[in-house]
Amino acid sequence: RASRALSGELGRHDGWVAAVAVLPNNRVVSGGGDRRVLVWDLAAPGTDPVELGRHDSWVVAVAGLSDGRVVSAGENHRLLVWDPTTPGSDPLELSHDTPVLVLLKLSDGRVVSGGRDGRVLVWDPAVPESDPVELGHHRYRVPAVAVLSDGRVVSGEGNGWLLVWDPAAPGSDPVDLGHH
């Protein structure tokens, strides 16, 4: 059973929440149906969040970077990098041509994404004008990714397949874990 001493309400979005990620300094970032990207302070439940900005459509994924910045993905195909030290400022936009469904930070500061197009991509927010590196692709959408302790990426496909990719060897054949 959860104790009230172990839980607290941070606040709420003006719609459903689709994504939450942990940030440094006892904070979390969230995004959802109200199109906003919000940063919450876990040490101050009930206080208003900091709004980093908005997407033109639903926010479907968020990830915190090692340097404190936030990456968010919208249903509108936009992948945006926000700086929480300057809320409301224009985000950095990474090029993308299909909706991203999931984002995770890699230990080297890059971000891995899975999308509706079945691709598993690695982005480098330090070089925003560069194209993402494609680790490989599934036949169907990729709604789930996880990063293993050795840096490899596991992706789950919409039809049940699980594949393991090595970001150090983009384009190499993945390890097939199996099928749900």
Side-chain angles (χ1 to χ4, degrees):
R1 294 186 343 203
S3 164
R4 278 276 185 212
L6 300 175
S7 66
E9 183 175 323
L10 289 175
R12 61 179 293 138
H13 276 264
D14 296 328
W16 47 267
V17 175
V20 177
V22 176
L23 299 176
N25 301 327
N26 214 23
R27 299 171 302 145
V28 295
V29 61
S30 61
D34 62 3
R35 305 174 317 165
R36 298 185 302 161
V37 179
L38 302 176
V39 175
W40 307 85
D41 185 349
L42 293 172
T47 61
D48 288 338
V50 174
E51 183 174 322
L52 296 181
R54 294 176 180 252
H55 276 260
D56 298 334
S57 66
W58 308 330
V59 178
V60 296
V62 293
L65 299 176
S66 301
D67 63 6
R69 293 182 300 160
V70 170
V71 181
S72 61
E75 180 70 18
N76 61 351
H77 303 210
R78 294 179 75 198
L79 205 61
L80 303 176
V81 181
W82 307 90
D83 184 351
T85 63
T86 56
S89 64
D90 287 337
L92 177 68
E93 185 164 356
L94 302 176
S95 174
H96 202 269
D97 56 0
T98 188
V100 170
L101 301 173
V102 63
L103 293 170
L104 278 180
K105 172 186 74 165
L106 297 174
S107 62
D108 63 7
R110 296 180 300 162
V111 176
V112 63
S113 69
R116 280 209 183 137
D117 60 359
R119 293 187 299 164
V120 179
L121 302 174
V122 175
W123 306 83
D124 190 347
V127 188
E129 62 279 352
S130 68
D131 289 329
V133 173
E134 183 173 326
L135 295 182
H137 62 274
H138 289 266
R139 284 180 268 183
Y140 300 96
R141 65 189 183 103
V142 178
V145 296
V147 180
L148 300 172
S149 61
D150 64 4
R152 292 180 301 155
V153 173
V154 179
S155 59
E157 182 178 60
N159 73 345
W161 289 103
L162 289 168
L163 301 176
V164 180
W165 310 91
D166 185 354
S172 63
D173 288 337
V175 174
D176 184 345
L177 286 181
H179 183 267
H180 275 265

